[in-house]
Amino acid sequence: MATPNLFLIYVTDVERSTRFYSDLFEMEPVTITPRYVPFELAPGVLFALWSGRGDTVTTATPRTSELGLMLPGSASGVDDCFAAWTAKGVIVIEEPHEDVFGRTFVVADPDGNLIRVSPID
């Protein structure tokens, strides 16, 4: 059976979002097109920005999913990531705190898409 290998994030401004995610994750996209920008997470697995639905997706659209970054190591690694990202000016949704799976925080991209950082399960 096939497994998912493409994760799309709807954005209203693909250039702005490309700069945001390139800086935040310190990675470059595979390619850049006017409405679609993929980043390779692992061989054959892409995270992509998509502005092709910009006419129906706005910053006011509620975001009900999260992009997750699970970090190896201790809770201090999550706190270090939070400090680095807040220095870059991210929008903080949830400050670092303890949850059932460990230390975590949530930020948002310029369109309100949520990004959660937590320890590796």
Side-chain angles (χ1 to χ4, degrees):
M1 175 175 227
T3 58
N5 59 3
L6 174 62
F7 303 92
L8 289 173
I9 301 294
Y10 292 134
V11 298
T12 56
D13 182 332
V14 77
E15 290 179 21
R16 176 187 66 190
S17 295
T18 299
R19 287 190 305 273
F20 175 85
Y21 282 102
S22 292
D23 180 51
L24 192 68
F25 293 141
E26 299 175 357
M27 61 189 302
E28 295 301 316
V30 173
T31 190
I32 297 175
T33 72
R35 296 186 335 226
Y36 175 79
V37 177
F39 293 84
E40 187 171 47
L41 303 177
V45 179
L46 298 175
F47 152 71
L49 308 173
W50 172 241
S51 67
R53 301 263 330 239
D55 58 331
T56 59
V57 177
T58 69
T59 55
T61 305
R63 299 315 202 260
T64 58
S65 63
E66 297 177 348
L67 177 64
L69 174 64
M70 296 191 305
L71 299 176
S74 66
S76 65
V78 172
D79 290 335
D80 292 345
C81 183
F82 181 78
W85 285 10
T86 54
K88 293 180 180 192
V90 296
I91 300 164
V92 176
I93 304 300
E94 292 180 4
E95 298 272 338
H97 63 279
E98 295 298 322
D99 212 317
V100 296
F101 44 80
R103 192 90 172 140
T104 188
F105 68 88
V106 178
V107 299
D109 75 4
D111 286 293
N113 294 301
L114 302 175
I115 306 162
R116 178 179 298 277
V117 175
S118 62
I120 292 177
D121 288 341

